[in-house]
Amino acid sequence: VHAPKASAGPTPLVLVLHGYGGDARDADGYFELGAMAEREGLVVVVPDGTIDSTGSRFWNAVDGCCDFEKRGVDDVAYLVGLVDDAAKRFPIDPARVYAVGLSNGGAMAMRLACDASERFAAVVSVAGPFYADPERCKPAVPVAVRHVHGTSDRIVPFAGGLPPPGLHPNARVRFPGAEDVTAAWAR
């Protein structure tokens, strides 16, 4: 958790979510939002996901990523609980709660927009895969989504497709392409 030393009033909160096989330290370094906490007056929470049998941390985000062992971890409840916990410790503005994530973390950020839209003003996904069937995402209220995706991504292909061999033995669900993901959110 990164937080300003003093707050002039209701404070924005940003959840920062790592990719598959990463951890909080990786995400904290990649996005560098912790350094903004004091300067911009926001609370940044950078949690760790669950560890699977390969030793990789994951978020149970969407059908293709990344609860490959079907553990059924309720990461939506976990992350909403972290927001609630932060609100007990800091003067969080409930209208300015955000999530940002890379790859599996991006998928988890979008999952939060699907299943807890009333709790998040906006989410940012960097190269996050989405549901193979986007109809599984039913936000209760509109939420802003930004999806950033490079055309040379070999893990979550821009055009869609299967994850690369070696990611996890059970990784077999086809990812939709980035343009399909953004079109689903636009609808």
Side-chain angles (χ1 to χ4, degrees), residues 3 26 28 43 56 74 79 94 114 128 141 151 171 181:
D26 294 336
D28 201 26
V43 173
S56 297
D74 189 348
L79 294 169
C114 294
V141 298
T151 56
V181 171

Side-chain angles (χ1 to χ4, degrees), residues 70-93:
K70 306 294 184 217
R71 293 183 178 193
V73 178
D74 189 348
D75 282 323
V76 172
Y78 169 61
L79 294 169
V80 168
L82 290 179
V83 171
D84 291 341
D85 185 58
K88 291 175 187 170
R89 299 173 51 199
F90 306 101
I92 301 302
D93 180 351

